[in-house]
Amino acid sequence: NCMCSKADAAIVIQQWQDVSSPDAAAQTKLSCGQAVFAELFNMAPGAKALFTRVNVDNIHSPEFNGHVMRVMGGLDVLVNYLENPPVMESMLAHLAGQHAVRDGVTKSGFAVMAKVLMGSMPQVVEGFNPDAWKNCLIPILNGMSAGL
Ligand code: HEM
């Protein structure tokens, strides 16, 4: 049921492109990413402790900005490869490994992230298609948290 069909993938890629125009890309990624993490910490305050290395106490710091851009950049690449399952799988395996080595990162943290993303994307995407996004985002988040 949670399966990103070709039609779902095409919708999600198109809607993602609509909000990440080259002009606005970096600033949009940064401000949306900060909002996503702020909401994640709002819903799961305990998760904050995972990000001390990247100066989470100041989410506007260069260190945390760097973290936000790594995460959003990762999400950007993943979304753009939704129509290429072999590449998607190898990227997810790599990201799963990068998360598995971080103590305290849990599947439930990724479940919260899914809620945050599904709640925030409709605020920026015109004509947001909840089914397509759910079908494609959930497998991404599941794949990334597979090793946890
Ligand atoms: C680091 C992507 C969700 C915890 C990273 C990195 C990327 C990334 C690309 C940098 C990897 C590295 O340099 O080692 C993503 C994406 C996510 C996501 C695309 C979902 C859309 C989460 C969630 C958690 C989490 C939900 C925790 C509940 C961490 C931690 C780090 C990290 C602790 C290391 C921070 C540091 O540099 O000290 N993530 N992530 N991530 N991620 Fe995620």
Side-chain angles (χ1 to χ4, degrees):
N1 41 348
C2 248
M3 167 77 198
C4 183
S5 71
K6 285 187 180 191
D8 291 333
I11 290 169
V12 169
I13 289 169
Q14 181 59 56
Q15 296 198 331
W16 179 261
Q17 269 169 23
D18 290 345
V19 291
S20 51
S21 74
D23 278 358
Q27 191 52 49
T28 304
K29 264 191 202 121
L30 182 57
S31 50
C32 291
Q34 282 168 339
V36 161
F37 274 97
E39 183 58 13
L40 183 76
F41 300 145
N42 195 29
M43 290 174 74
K48 236 179 149 171
L50 303 172
F51 303 97
T52 49
R53 200 192 74 87
V54 285
N55 199 6
V56 67
D57 282 338
N58 178 1
I59 67 166
H60 300 286
S61 63
E63 295 82 6
F64 200 76
N65 283 351
H67 171 70
V68 165
M69 292 307 275
R70 287 190 286 283
V71 172
M72 296 303 279
L75 190 57
D76 183 45
V77 177
L78 289 166
V79 167
N80 282 304
Y81 275 93
L82 276 170
E83 287 170 316
N84 190 332
V87 173
M88 174 64 77
E89 263 173 49
S90 85
M91 290 193 302
L92 287 176
H94 182 77
L95 280 159
Q98 285 185 317
H99 285 89
V101 297
R102 310 281 181 175
D103 272 342
V105 178
T106 59
K107 274 199 203 304
S108 68
F110 276 85
V112 177
M113 183 59 112
K115 279 198 191 125
V116 172
L117 290 175
M118 284 302 294
S120 49
M121 291 309 296
Q123 299 173 32
V124 288
V125 175
E126 212 174 310
F128 182 77
N129 183 316
D131 289 333
W133 279 88
K134 185 160 57 63
N135 290 343
C136 297
L137 264 189
I138 302 298
I140 286 179
L141 291 161
N142 285 345
M144 228 184 304
S145 54
L148 304 176

